[in-house]
Amino acid sequence: MRPRGKLTVLLTALALFLGLAGCWEKAPESAFDAKTYVEGRLAEAYLGETSQEYMDLVGYNEVQVESIYQNSLYLEAQVFSYLYGIEYPEDFYEEIQELYKSIYSHVEFLVVSTAREEDGSISVEVELQPIDLPQRVEREKGEALKSFFEKYPSGVQNTMNDEEYKAYDAEWARLIIDLYKELLPETGNLEPRRVTVKLTQNEAGYYTLSDEEFRKLDAGVIDYSRSGTQTAPESTQSPGAEESLDPEAPAPPTTASPIPQPEESEASGTETE
């Protein structure tokens, strides 16, 4: 199987992060509302809309919220391509992003509680109901995969020239995308899961939700754990999918923290004395 440009994908995601980075200052307020902040971060990333209270808290406007949302869609399209071994996804990014607009509409989250800790951080417990569509696709894709790999056995794959291989990859991408679209009306949510994240203060005294902490929430938005993209048997493996088994391979990009927060003027809440 031909090597995939995983590092290129990661660098592309990083460049998008930096390209959208801004430095919006927000004057400290008398109180920091952790519930509003965390729910607002999730809503802007996955729904493309958020409360006025959140925008007032962080100093954002509708244009900035929309930019973060579009960035989330683009990064999720990269995750999708990575997980399903689509090696030439460029022609499909727009379609995948439109698909994820519909998938994201099923997001369910609720801040259950907040608590200030002795070290000055704020713990926030969030209830998430993961979207189950990847699991539905996994359960239904057997026959489609069987037909695909009967058409393209390993002997055929290994003799393809570049043009033939790109056509093969495009056909694979079409198969997976169409399965998602077919099952999209049946999308539901799994049993609620609770995740606790910590908000910490930066040097300027503003509370922030780090990339690592946001990633905990992101992992509970869509459940890919049993999607089969990393454990498919050899006979039904997606193009390039075996590379996702490499323990030393870089992690795929995620929608976590769709926009990096400025160090000195984190637009996220109040400054403490």
Side-chain angles (χ1 to χ4, degrees), residues 52-110:
Q52 186 62 50
E53 289 79 9
Y54 171 77
M55 289 192 287
D56 291 342
L57 183 65
V58 302
Y60 284 5
N61 58 37
E62 289 85 352
V63 173
Q64 291 159 331
V65 169
E66 178 64 19
S67 293
I68 292 169
Y69 176 59
Q70 293 299 329
N71 189 41
S72 287
L73 293 171
Y74 183 75
L75 291 177
E76 196 72 64
Q78 290 187 316
V79 172
F80 182 94
S81 300
Y82 181 99
L83 290 176
Y84 288 100
I86 301 170
E87 298 192 42
Y88 302 97
E90 292 78 10
D91 291 342
F92 298 96
Y93 274 150
E94 184 174 344
E95 183 177 1
I96 296 171
Q97 289 176 76
E98 286 299 315
L99 172 66
Y100 271 94
K101 284 183 181 180
S102 298
I103 296 173
Y104 278 169
S105 71
H106 295 273
V107 66
E108 295 286 347
F109 58 84
L110 175 68

Side-chain angles (χ1 to χ4, degrees), residues 116-262:
R116 292 184 180 270
E117 306 293 346
E118 292 183 359
D119 62 1
S121 65
I122 301 177
S123 293
V124 182
E125 186 177 24
V126 183
E127 183 176 277
L128 297 153
Q129 297 181 45
I131 296 168
D132 68 355
L133 184 56
Q135 296 186 21
R136 292 180 181 273
V137 169
E138 171 60 19
R139 290 194 294 268
E140 300 295 330
K141 73 180 184 180
E143 196 60 37
L145 288 186
K146 180 180 178 182
S147 298
F148 182 84
F149 286 102
E150 284 177 351
K151 180 178 179 181
Y152 294 108
S154 57
V156 172
Q157 296 175 32
N158 294 334
T159 60
M160 291 178 181
N161 58 35
D162 289 345
E163 185 176 346
E164 291 170 335
Y165 192 82
K166 286 182 178 180
Y168 155 77
D169 185 70
E171 188 172 336
W172 167 255
R174 174 51 53 204
L175 182 153
I176 296 298
I177 292 170
D178 285 350
L179 278 172
Y180 265 76
K181 286 184 174 181
E182 178 183 342
L183 295 173
L184 184 61
E186 302 176 25
T187 302
N189 298 84
L190 301 174
E191 289 298 312
R193 303 175 188 177
R194 292 196 175 186
V195 178
T196 299
V197 293
K198 271 193 173 185
L199 306 181
T200 55
Q201 291 173 284
N202 63 13
E203 294 179 359
Y206 289 94
Y207 280 102
T208 69
L209 185 62
S210 69
D211 288 357
E212 181 179 356
E213 292 297 290
F214 195 97
R215 195 169 291 115
K216 295 177 184 177
L217 299 174
D218 181 70
V221 171
I222 301 176
D223 192 326
Y224 292 107
S225 63
R226 294 190 295 275
S227 66
T229 54
Q230 295 189 358
T231 57
E234 183 68 26
S235 60
T236 59
Q237 213 164 48
S238 62
E242 81 286 351
E243 292 198 56
S244 62
L245 299 172
D246 181 359
E248 297 183 357
T254 73
T255 58
S257 191
I259 188 166
Q261 302 299 323

